[in-house]
Amino acid sequence: MAIKKSDLYSSLWASCDQLRGGMDASQYKDYVLFMLFIKYITDKYADSDDFAPPVVIPPGASFKDMIALKGKSDIGDKINTQIIAPLVNANSRLALSDFPNFNDPNKLGEGNDMVEKLSNLIGIFQKPELDFSKNRAEHDDILGDAYEYLMRHFATESGKSKGQFYTPSEVSRVIAKVIGISPENAKGSTMAYDPTCGSGSLLLKVAAEAGKHITLEGQEKDVTTAGLARMNMILHDFPTATILSGNTLASPKFKDGENLRTYDYVVANPPFSDKTWSTGLTPGDDAYQRFVWGEPPAKQGDYAYLLHIIRSLKANGKAACILPHGVLFRGNAEAVIRQQLIRSGYLKGIIGLPANLFYGTGIPACILVIDKENATARKGVFMIDASKGFIKDGNKNRLREQDIHKIVDTFGKQADVPRYARMVPLDEIADPKNDFNLNLPRYIDSSEPEDIQDIAGHLNGGIPERDLDALADYWQVLPGVRASLFEQLRPGYAQLTLPLAEVKPTIFGHAEFATFNAQATERFQGWRDATTPLLTGFGKDGHPKALIETIAEDLLNTFKPAPLLDAYDIYQHLMDYWAETMQDDCYLISADGWVAQPTRIIETDKKGKIKDKGWACDLIPKPYIVARYFADEQAAIEAKQAELEAASASLAELEEEHSGEDAIFSGYDNINAAAVKDRIKEILATDGLMSREAGMLEATGNDQEGAEELKVLKQWLEFGNQIGVLKKQIREAEAALDQKAYEKYPTLSEAEIKTLVIDDKWMAHLSTAVQGELDRVSQTLTRRIRQLAERYAAPLPQLEDEVSKLASKVERHLTRMGITWK
C-alpha cells in the first residue's frame, strides 16, 4: 500500500525536527538533506547495470552500509571516512565541502548523544515508503518534491539571515515560464545558467519547463549551499548539471577562453542590495566589460548582477532576475545604467511581486525580464503590478496557483489589463516627467476606485445613477434585475422599489439570474463530461502532475468566457482541492491502481501496549460508502440522534428551571443519577412513604413540597434513562453500520470505486465550490445595493426634521420638570 505524498513529507519533517534538538535549522538541514541524498543514490544507482552510471557508489559506501553503523560508538567518524570520503573520491562532481561533518560534537553532541542522534536519523530514512529503487522520480518527482518541502521548511525555520539559499518555488515557476522556454523550443544543447544559484531550485524549474535534459550550469558563493545544489541536481535526475563554488562577480567560473560563456537562458535571485559586491573586483577595469553602461554604487550591488546576466546572454538570449524595487527608481549611477538598459531594448518586462515572499527579506521585489531577441524593434516595456495577488502563509506571503497563472497568462499575451498590466511605450518612459523612472505606480494605478459620496444624494435622497452604472457588468447579464429593483426618483437618481429585506430574494428568484446560474452550471457539466474519461482512464503508473495540468487548464478555459465569474478563482478551487486531497488520491492510484482497501489504525502507547483504534481508507473514506450504500441505516441513526438531542435539551431545561437559589437542584455539587436516587430515598424515608413493591419508589404523601420535588427528581431520572437507552441504541447502530461499511470494501468493483472517488468525492466537492462562486455573485451585488440604499436612505431634510422633533420633545420634558433657559 502506497503512503500518501503529504504524509510522507510531513512525517519526514516531523521526524527530522524532533531530532534537531538545539541545532539551528540552517545547519541541521545539511544532515537531513544528505541522508535523503545517500538514500536516493543507493536505491537508484547501487545495483546499477549501467556501464557508466551518473553516480558511482563504491563498495561499502551505500546507505545500507550506514545502517550497519547504527549504535556504534564511532558512527560519526565512520560516516565521514567510510561513506562520504569514498563517494567524493569516486565522483568528480562531488566535493568533500558539499557534505556536513558527521563527527562534529558541537552540533551533534558528544558520546552517546551523538550515537543516538545519528542512529535515529538513519532510522528515519529506513522507512519502507522511502524506497526510490523504482525511480518514481522519472515523471512525478516525489523525491525532488520532498527535497523542496524540506528546503522550504528549513528556510522558514532559518530566519531572515539564513533563508536565502531557497527561492520560493512559486516565484521560480513564474520566472521559468516568463522566459519562454518550452518543450517546443528546447533542445539537448539548450543552455541555462544561474550565477547565484543557491540550492539550484530556479535552474530546476527552468529544466522542468523545458521538459527535457538541457544543459544546466550554476555558480554559488556559499560552499555548503553549492553542495546542496549539487545534491539537488542529482535528486531531480539532473546528475550532469555543473554547479561550481565561488564569487560570480569577482571570479566567474563559466568561461569560454577569456570571455564569459553565453547562454540561451539565464535566471537569478541574487542577494538584494549586496553591499560587498565589488570585493575582489575592480569594476572600472573589468576583464569582461560588464560595466560599460556604468559602474553600480559601491553599496548597491543589484545592477552589478544584472549587468553580469546581460553579458552572459547569447545574441537572442532571454533572462529573468529578481531584484528589489529600488532598481526601478533609484538615482545617480543606477539612473545612468537604467537609462542605457531601457534604450538598449533588452528590457522586455517588469513584474512587481507582493511583499514578504522571500525568506531572506520582507521587502517587495520585482522580476526584470530581459530579452535580447528583436531588442532594436522593441517599442515599450510590459509592466505587471501583481503585488495584490497572494495568500498569507504563516509569517510569509505566498503566490497562489491562480496568481502564478494570471501573471504568466498576462505576460504571454502582453495585453493591457486595467489596474494590473499595460504595455508602456518607451516614449512615455523617456518623457521628462518620468525621466526613465520605472516605478510601477507611475504607469499602473492598481488602487481600487474611490467610493465617492454624492452630496446631492445626501441632501435630497436617491441613489446616484452613476453608482448603479458602475455595476454595468451585472446589468449586462441581468438587465431585468435592475429594472425590477429600481425606478427613477429624479434625473440622475433612482430609488429602490421594494424593501431592503426583499432585494436578495428578488435577485435569486429572477429568471435572468436563474438563466445565468444554469449557464454556469452547464459550463461546469461540460467540463465534467470531458474530464471524467481522463479521470477514469487514469490508473497505475499514471502521471498525476500531467493529469492536473490538463484538467486544470481545461477548467480555466471553460470559465474564461463566463460573465461575472473570475475563472482564476474557480481554477484556484480545483488547485486547492488538488493540494489537500486529489493529489494524494492520484498518487495512491498511480502506485496501487483503483484499490480501496481499509487499513486498521494500530497505535502503540508508551508502555508498548498495542491498541486498535478502528480503521480508515484514504481513497474512499467511510462517509462516501455510507452515503451511497447505507443511507437508510445512517438516516435511522440520525433520527435517534435527534431524539437524543431533544431528550438532552429537556433534561438541561429541567435542571435550569430548578437550579435557582433554594430550588430543587441548588444544593447539588454535581447532578447525577446516584445523587438524585439518594435524594429520593431521603424524601421517602422522611415521610415514611416507602413502598417496597417490585422495588419501586412511590410517594403517596401529604407534603406538597416533597411531592413536587419527588415529581421533578423522577422526571429527571426518566430523562436520564431515556438518554442512556438512546446512547446505547446509537452506539450499537453505529457499530453495526461501521462493520457493514468495512465489509463493503472488498466487494467493490473497480467501476464502483471509480464512481465513488470521481463522482461522489471529487466532482461533488468541485460542484459545491462552483456553486459557491455563483452564490457570491448575487451576494456581492446584494451587498453593494444594500450599502447604497442605506447610505442615501435618510436625506438631510429628513434628518433635520427628526432632530427638530427630538429637540422639541426634550424641551417639553424639561419644561414639565420646571427647567427653563434662554
Side-chain angles (χ1 to χ4, degrees), residues 793-808:
L796 186 61
Q798 182 182 325
L799 293 173
E800 286 176 334
D801 187 43
E802 285 178 15
V803 168
S804 177
K805 286 177 182 174
L806 289 170
S808 299

Side-chain angles (χ1 to χ4, degrees), residues 3 5 8-9 12 32-47 63 124-138 140-147 150 234-235 237 587:
I3 187 169
K5 198 174 180 183
L8 167 63
Y9 299 162
L12 193 56
V32 172
L33 296 172
F34 171 76
M35 296 299 299
L36 191 64
F37 172 74
I38 188 76
K39 178 70 170 78
Y40 172 71
I41 61 172
T42 296
D43 287 349
K44 188 166 183 190
Y45 300 119
D47 302 317
F63 181 75
I124 290 169
F125 290 87
Q126 282 182 267
K127 290 182 176 184
E129 58 267 20
L130 280 173
D131 178 6
F132 305 110
S133 56
K134 295 175 185 174
N135 187 19
R136 294 167 72 177
E138 185 180 346
D140 284 298
D141 196 355
I142 197 165
L143 179 69
D145 289 350
Y147 188 89
L150 290 172
I234 291 168
L235 292 170
D237 208 20
Y587 273 89

Side-chain angles (χ1 to χ4, degrees), residues 737-752:
L737 177 57
D738 189 72
Q739 188 61 31
K740 280 184 178 180
Y742 184 72
E743 289 170 355
K744 183 67 182 176
Y745 284 92
T747 72
L748 294 173
S749 67
E750 185 173 299
E752 287 177 303

